Amino acid sequence: MKKLITTENANDCGVLGKWNATVFYVDRKKCWLITNGLTKYNVVLTDVKVSDFSNIEQIFKDALFSQLIYDGIITDFEIISSIIGGLDFLATDNDRSTTGFQNQRLEQLDWWKYEFGSLKNMPIKDLTNRINTSPIHIGKERKMSDYTDSVEEMRKILTE
């Protein structure tokens, strides 16, 4: 992973903003939970190997596009690719909100690991959809209108 991290500051994060990634393991296979900081939308990459690092940008875009389709957010791949642009891997910015959110999602995934047994039995798109449709709070106040889910938030951004 350290080979991917750059020391340059990337100021322009695009329409979707920054994404945070964290590593977790299922059956001794390295998996990534990638979360959008703005919408809390999640994508899971499974069985990531060092040899995949040279194609990680395409792997991420393909996984994001297929998850968007699974979640009912149908859009053109070229639009998604242009919105994301190039991927920059930066050292942590200590975004405690997103890190806490990811830790909660990892706890859910941990629970499901025991339900399905092994990585090959885990329906990753379905589990990610379960995460993305869980109620979340976005906003500063405690109004009911501030509660939504990640799919709706991502749909709002992509249809604007």
Side-chain angles (χ1 to χ4, degrees):
M1 293 278 303
K2 291 183 181 184
K3 295 176 185 177
L4 295 175
I5 297 175
T6 63
T7 56
E8 302 170 14
N9 280 341
N11 295 331
D12 184 27
C13 292
V15 176
L16 294 175
K18 67 182 179 74
W19 293 77
N20 288 32
T22 189
V23 174
F24 67 100
Y25 293 89
V26 179
D27 293 339
R28 296 187 312 211
K29 307 262 191 247
K30 188 181 295 185
C31 302
W32 292 9
L33 174 64
I34 304 172
T35 305
N36 181 263
L38 188 59
T39 63
K40 303 299 188 244
Y41 190 81
N42 297 282
V43 176
V44 175
L45 304 180
T46 58
D47 199 13
V48 179
K49 299 175 181 71
V50 174
S51 61
D52 296 330
F53 287 179
S54 60
N55 298 332
I56 198 68
E57 185 171 316
Q58 190 62 42
I59 292 169
F60 170 69
K61 287 179 181 180
D62 290 342
L64 173 61
F65 186 66
S66 64
Q67 189 64 48
L68 287 170
I69 290 172
Y70 191 90
D71 289 339
I73 306 171
I74 300 171
T75 187
D76 187 25
F77 180 79
E78 296 304 320
I79 293 171
I80 295 298
S81 185
S82 67
I83 287 174
I84 293 173
L87 293 183
D88 294 320
F89 290 90
L90 305 172
T92 184
D93 62 352
N94 293 323
D95 180 357
R96 293 185 344 192
S97 172
T98 304
T99 301
F101 181 82
Q102 284 182 317
N103 287 339
Q104 288 176 334
R105 303 298 77 97
L106 288 175
E107 205 169 300
Q108 287 177 323
L109 284 170
D110 226 16
W111 179 267
W112 292 323
K113 275 195 281 188
Y114 294 110
E115 182 179 337
F116 292 103
S118 67
L119 183 61
K120 67 180 178 187
N121 294 335
M122 293 177 76
I124 295 298
K125 298 280 183 258
D126 180 56
L127 296 178
T128 307
N129 175 264
R130 291 182 197 183
I131 292 171
N132 286 335
T133 55
S134 297
I136 59 170
H137 179 264
I138 293 183
K140 303 257 184 254
E141 300 177 23
R142 294 289 179 196
K143 299 184 295 187
M144 285 303 291
S145 61
D146 288 341
Y147 287 89
T148 184
D149 64 46
S150 301
V151 172
E152 277 306 309
E153 290 300 308
M154 184 61 82
R155 186 176 285 127
K156 283 180 194 174
I157 288 179
L158 293 179
T159 57
E160 288 180 349

